[in-house]
Amino acid sequence: MSDRPSRMTDTERDAALGTVSGWAYDAEEKAIRKTFQFADFSEAWGFMNRAALLAEKLDHHPEWFNVYNRVEVKMTTHDADGVTTLDFQMATAMDSFAA
Ligand SMILES: C[C@H](O)[C@H](O)[C@H]1CNC2=NC(N)=NC(=O)C2=N1
């Protein structure tokens, strides 16, 4: 996608963090992170499957790590060298997929 949003300001990012649940900014990684916990692997995999389909649609992909019922997610926009609205679009959707 050539028309990626540009990096959010600190103020914009902090405001957006207030609209999602459990996500935190990692300044070193210039990313937002959240760890999701599920009942079991099947639930975790179902979540990852839904997130993966949206990621493909948006051409915006999570960096994540899964062990059994836990999924650690990191979202950043490499092209923008930081966090953009696309990361929050994914974060919001992931919160709803996990609900
Ligand atoms: C070429 C391709 O569109 C880019 O590499 C996309 C793919 N998915 C991506 N995902 C994320 N999270 N950040 C990006 O900057 C990004 N860039």
Side-chain angles (χ1 to χ4, degrees):
M1 212 183 283
S2 52
D3 56 344
R4 297 214 161 241
S6 54
R7 180 158 42 95
M8 298 168 96
T9 65
D10 290 358
T11 309
E12 287 168 342
R13 194 190 59 236
D14 286 348
L17 276 172
T19 71
V20 289
S21 163
W23 292 84
Y25 182 61
D26 180 335
E28 208 158 298
E29 298 284 324
K30 297 183 184 174
I32 52 172
R33 292 179 173 282
K34 179 175 178 178
T35 297
F36 292 88
Q37 286 269 121
F38 299 91
D40 53 27
F41 177 73
S42 181
E43 294 286 323
W45 185 252
F47 162 81
M48 292 176 82
N49 194 33
R50 295 177 78 184
L53 291 173
L54 178 61
E56 278 291 271
K57 193 170 148 189
L58 298 178
D59 189 27
H60 199 64
H61 303 83
E63 295 175 45
W64 51 13
F65 177 79
N66 162 240
V67 179
Y68 186 53
N69 66 338
R70 190 174 85 242
V71 184
E72 299 172 11
V73 181
K74 183 172 104 181
M75 290 298 323
T76 187
T77 305
H78 304 107
D79 305 5
D81 191 34
V83 174
T84 67
T85 52
L86 271 176
D87 297 304
F88 282 100
Q89 200 175 333
M90 282 295 295
T92 301
M94 284 175 153
D95 283 349
S96 76
F97 297 155

